[in-house]
């Protein structure tokens, strides 16, 4: 599978709202997920930790809508943009605009690195 | 200067259409520019080569409009999206949708890596 094929399949699932399935299908067991912040949320290592991060996120955010754009491909990496309308638990509703840069090895995503719009 | 400050200043110039000025101000002398293709356009190394690539591009594309979104920041990297309405010389007018991932060291861009939408 080329990176472009993987990127298209992954992004198609995201566009259908099937984020969990996209991860299950394409994360490496050793996937590392990085957020642009300090502290314990900065890095999740391994499939179990990254899945737990997703569970935490959905438990703490009410998602009103998500728009997914991409993928954009270069070599063994691809980029997806996520524009979200969410209400974090106990906070005001807000728009989030971020991109993920995904690195692929052996037909699996070994790193996802999120960048926040500013 | 933080990566976020550099990213905001670089992207502001791009939004004003001042792409050449953005490069002049923020490229390292050793900047490497990478396109997702094979052949001699795949990689330009050094400020002179990257500037020449820009000159070539403008000589070979009539630009009708450019929309710039971003920046998106993570650590020492940032992402900018470019949506362009262009006519390549001798070809049909088309829409281009791509993102650049920029890597910063010592207040300069040392790599720009372009990803094409698909």
């Amino acid at each position: 599978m080329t990176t472009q094929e993987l990127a298209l399949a992954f992004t198609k699932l995201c566009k259908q709202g099937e984020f969990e399935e996209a991860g299950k299908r394409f994360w490496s067991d050793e996937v590392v997920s990085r957020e642009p912040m300090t502290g314990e949320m900065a890095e999740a290592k391994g499939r179990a930790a990254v899945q737990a991060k997703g569970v935490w996120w959905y438990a703490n955010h009410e998602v009103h809508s998500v728009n997914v754009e991409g993928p954009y491909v270069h070599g063994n990496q691809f980029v997806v943009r996520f524009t979200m309308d969410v209400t974090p638990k106990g906070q005001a509703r807000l728009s989030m605009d971020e991109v993920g840069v995904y690195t692929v090895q052996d037909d699996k995503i070994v790193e996802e690195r999120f960048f926040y719009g500013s």
Side-chain angles (χ1 to χ4, degrees), chain A residues 30-96:
Chain A
E30 286 77 41
V31 61
V32 180
S33 179
R34 301 181 203 278
E35 300 285 340
M37 51 179 66
T38 54
E40 63 180 29
M41 294 303 289
E43 193 176 275
K45 281 191 170 179
R47 179 185 283 272
V50 178
Q51 278 179 344
K53 176 182 166 183
V55 169
W56 173 88
W57 197 88
Y58 280 103
N60 286 277
H61 295 78
E62 185 185 352
V63 180
H64 309 292
S65 69
V66 182
N67 187 46
V68 177
E69 291 171 282
Y72 302 84
V73 179
H74 181 139
N76 72 327
Q77 293 189 307
F78 68 93
V79 174
V80 182
R81 180 190 186 187
F82 303 95
T83 317
M84 289 172 278
D85 173 17
V86 300
T87 304
K89 212 172 180 176
Q91 296 179 45
R93 185 169 174 162
L94 55 83
S95 293
M96 297 175 72

Side-chain angles (χ1 to χ4, degrees), chain A residues 1-20:
Chain A
M1 186 185 294
T2 66
T3 297
Q4 177 135 7
E5 289 166 347
L6 190 158
L8 283 166
F10 179 88
T11 308
K12 186 180 177 187
L13 286 167
C14 292
K15 286 180 179 176
Q16 292 166 351
E18 299 179 46
F19 298 98
E20 202 180 332

